[in-house]
Amino acid sequence: MCSSDLAARELEIAKQVQARLFPQTLPVLRTLDYAGLCIQARQVGGDYYDFLALGEEKLGLLIGDISGKGIAAALLMANLQANLRSQLALAREQPCRLLQSVNRVFYENTVDSAYATVFFAEYDDLTQRLRYTNCGHLSGLLLRRDNTVEWLRSTGTVLGLFKDWDGPTAECHLFNGDTLVLYTDGATESLNAAGEEFGEHGLVESLQRHREQAAQSIVASIATDLKLFSPEGQQDDITLVVAKCRAAS
């Protein structure tokens, strides 16, 4: 096997390994229908999403974007995933301490220029309360049932760039028919033939068109809209998380 074939084979294996890092099972909630999707621009990449069972009918929803691209970003993504999942006990008790710990480990084990933007949210299935910390990530899009739009803005700086990190937690309540979308910049910065970005406006319009669908279908429909908008192919990883509040079953 020549070196190029070997490299291609190793990349394919890396892609398969990374695919297993994304959530394979989804805890069932009474009041939340949710799904995620990552479409990588290369065989491996630095986008990350996860769903964490936090106990007491609580779910952690997380999306992240690692600085850089390709294999280097993929390695950092795996580091971040392992870091988060190894500290689930903290996530259940003190989410802020979890992010402080994750930041410290990420800072100590990566090069100076490496960092991650992360949006971490805890959803309570009993109260339908969403508590979130936005670590320098793009604003979460919350489409209310009356079609008004709210943006869950950044509450703190990125993870891994500074030794000490702190960020306040914000919260809101979800009601039947509300839909939350978390995303990476590969979605909003997708370009059409005229060089125009899909943008937040395009994301809102896409969500409004598909909001009546189930979460998994919404994710797929937004991805299709992005592909139609940028038929020449994507330049960056595209990751989407959709969480749709529903009446308790």
Side-chain angles (χ1 to χ4, degrees), residues 23 42 56 100 116 129-130:
R42 306 182 184 185
E56 298 180 345
Q100 288 173 340
R129 182 186 66 181
L130 186 82

Side-chain angles (χ1 to χ4, degrees), residues 1-13 43 71:
M1 182 179 292
C2 69
S3 59
S4 60
D5 290 340
L6 181 60
R9 175 60 180 158
E10 289 177 343
L11 274 174
E12 181 58 33
I13 293 172
Q43 286 177 296
I71 294 175

